[in-house]
Amino acid sequence: MSDELRRATVVVIGGGQAGLSAAYHLRHRGFVSAVEQPDAERTFVVLDANPAPGGAWQHRWESLRMATVNGIFDLPGLAQPAVDTTEASRAAVPRYFAGYEQAFALPILRPVHVVAVHRADDDPDGDLVVTSDRGSWTARAVINATGTWTNPVLPRYPGQDTFVGRQLHTRDYVRAEDFAGQRVAVVGGGISALQLLEEISRVATTRWYTRREPVFLDREFQPETVGRETIAKVMADVAAGRPTGSVVSYTGLSWTSYALAAKARGVLERRPMFKAIEPMGVREADNTFTPVDTILWATGFKADLTHLDPLRLLGELGGIALTGTQAATEPRLHLIGFGPSQSTVGANRAGREAAAAVVRLLRAQVPARPATRLMSSATTTVPNR
């Protein structure tokens, strides 16, 4: 780490859809690179933990094609090029993001793993300090866009450690062929669970388990109606400081092409959750035994926010209350790609809203104080161009 506490007016954490949207809108509002022009009046930098552009998309499974993904909204200021619907999303989306970063000369440092964000002192108009594995930054405001991919939900069941087969999460999945000829338990009631169930069932014997009976929509998903209703519900939870659930818990499941295909082949047969795991399989809810070679936990993700723990943002209800994108108890911090802005279109809007709110905050604050120095070893970071 550098022994100097580097400075940016705004630090954006995360270089996925939400982070890129925030970076674009900061640039559009006159903020410049904190790497190239550190002494400018208003600067920003993006710290991204990934090794390359693309956010979580670069880690998606091989078979997830552009025809299958749930719509990727254009980033602000630059439409996506023509898309080959048969191309893997893990290739197409990162290529688009990389071109976007270059087109707008966004100051992105990677890979940078942020380990903590804390207050520099007790002054409510003072700085926040962002500590990473490649040095620390002070900032007047922080926009957090870390997403969920690095925080998978992994349930625990009795006997789980005795299982002699393979256990993996959605984030570990690569291709259906890896399961050929096996007996596979797919656990989860979300969109990814259905996609993987349909794929794997073509080469393996599958069993589908969920905690609750899945609810399928009896009508087509309409953004203007169901979409708006869903966002309103999530916003109400976030404003109240309640933890938010998965997207499906608000919307229900749509009859997508892969859900219909699974139903047509008779594999969309839900079982209640097994009550225990044994060395060679699972003990069903009715106490019968089912032999299993692999358990795939398609159980979703939660927001990756452990680095914000020093700010003590969690309220009595267990969630983080937001006013717009601002944390209610820490207005210098914005959360985007979180709660109601988890969709790609929502992330775009949240990036714009956060940038606008930062400008308002700066107008109300006293002038920034000079950066101080930290005792640590030296390193150098360079922007990704």
Side-chain angles (χ1 to χ4, degrees):
M1 289 187 182
S2 171
D3 63 354
E4 185 175 3
L5 187 59
R6 304 174 76 184
R7 178 163 198 87
T9 312
V10 184
V11 171
V12 179
I13 307 174
Q17 182 106 12
L20 293 183
S21 173
Y24 168 86
H25 286 291
L26 289 170
R27 176 74 88 184
H28 187 67
R29 289 174 176 273
F31 289 75
V32 299
S33 168
V35 178
E36 295 185 349
Q37 301 181 59
D39 297 324
E41 181 180 358
R42 290 188 175 183
T43 63
F44 76 106
V45 67
V46 181
L47 308 180
D48 185 29
N50 281 295
W57 289 102
Q58 63 197 279
H59 308 298
R60 303 289 186 180
W61 55 95
E62 273 186 9
S63 58
L64 185 61
R65 305 289 152 175
M66 293 301 291
T68 310
V69 298
N70 294 318
I72 301 170
F73 204 76
D74 289 344
L75 284 160
L78 183 66
Q80 296 175 70
V83 174
D84 177 358
T85 58
T86 65
E87 185 177 12
S89 62
R90 65 191 294 176
V93 179
R95 186 172 62 248
Y96 171 46
F97 282 14
Y100 189 86
E101 293 177 11
Q102 185 174 18
F104 295 106
L106 301 179
I108 301 179
L109 305 181
R110 60 165 60 95
V112 178
H113 297 267
V114 172
V115 296
V117 178
H118 62 87
R119 300 174 180 91
D121 50 40
D122 294 332
D123 183 355
D125 287 332
D127 292 332
L128 295 176
V129 180
V130 180
T131 303
S132 80
D133 62 347
R134 296 182 65 184
S136 297
W137 293 78
T138 61
R140 308 303 301 283
V142 171
I143 299 176
N144 190 86
T146 46
T148 62
W149 186 257
T150 54
N151 192 22
V153 175
L154 290 166
R156 298 296 301 174
Y157 279 84
Q160 191 164 356
D161 294 336
T162 70
F163 185 60
V164 299
R166 182 186 181 197
Q167 296 186 64
L168 70 160
H169 189 269
T170 304
R171 60 168 292 165
D172 307 309
Y173 179 81
V174 179
R175 63 185 70 84
E177 290 72 18
D178 294 339
F179 304 88
Q182 295 184 15
R183 298 163 297 187
V184 181
V186 178
V187 182
I191 296 169
S192 295
L194 289 184
Q195 290 178 345
L196 302 187
L197 174 70
E198 197 281 326
E199 285 188 16
I200 296 170
S201 66
R202 294 179 179 273
V203 299
T205 300
T206 55
R207 301 288 186 270
W208 180 34
Y209 297 90
T210 68
R211 285 190 298 130
R212 292 181 291 271
E213 187 73 38
V215 177
F216 283 87
L217 295 172
D218 57 5
R219 64 192 190 281
E220 185 178 351
F221 184 89
Q222 297 290 342
E224 291 77 15
T225 55
V226 180
R228 291 182 183 277
E229 293 169 5
T230 300
I231 291 173
K233 292 176 183 177
V234 180
M235 289 180 66
D237 282 343
V238 168
R242 292 186 291 266
T244 57
S246 66
V247 174
V248 168
S249 69
Y250 292 97
T251 64
L253 289 163
S254 298
W255 282 110
T256 58
S257 59
Y258 45 84
L260 291 171
K263 182 180 181 182
R265 291 190 293 106
V267 298
L268 201 64
E269 298 295 331
R270 176 259 180 184
R271 294 186 176 199
M273 274 305 300
F274 45 76
K275 61 183 184 181
I277 301 173
E278 300 181 13
M280 303 301 293
V282 299
R283 185 63 57 181
E284 302 278 3
D286 63 4
N287 212 40
T288 59
F289 177 77
T290 298
V292 169
D293 300 305
T294 297
I295 301 174
L296 173 58
W297 299 99
T299 42
F301 301 81
K302 288 185 177 179
D304 181 10
L305 301 175
T306 56
H307 55 288
L308 301 180
D309 286 351
L311 298 177
R312 301 176 182 268
L313 300 173
L314 290 180
E316 293 181 358
L317 299 180
I320 299 175
L322 298 184
T323 302
T325 61
Q326 284 180 297
T329 59
E330 180 44 84
R332 292 167 291 186
L333 176 75
H334 294 259
L335 296 175
I336 62 176
F338 171 84
S341 63
Q342 287 188 62
S343 67
T344 56
V345 62
N348 279 2
R349 292 169 178 164
R352 181 181 65 232
E353 182 179 350
V358 165
V359 171
R360 292 194 297 270
L361 179 74
L362 293 175
R363 288 174 181 160
Q365 285 184 339
V366 296
R369 293 165 296 176
T372 56
R373 300 180 72 84
L374 294 178
M375 297 301 294
S376 56
S377 58
T379 190
T380 301
T381 56
V382 294
N384 181 78
R385 285 294 183 80

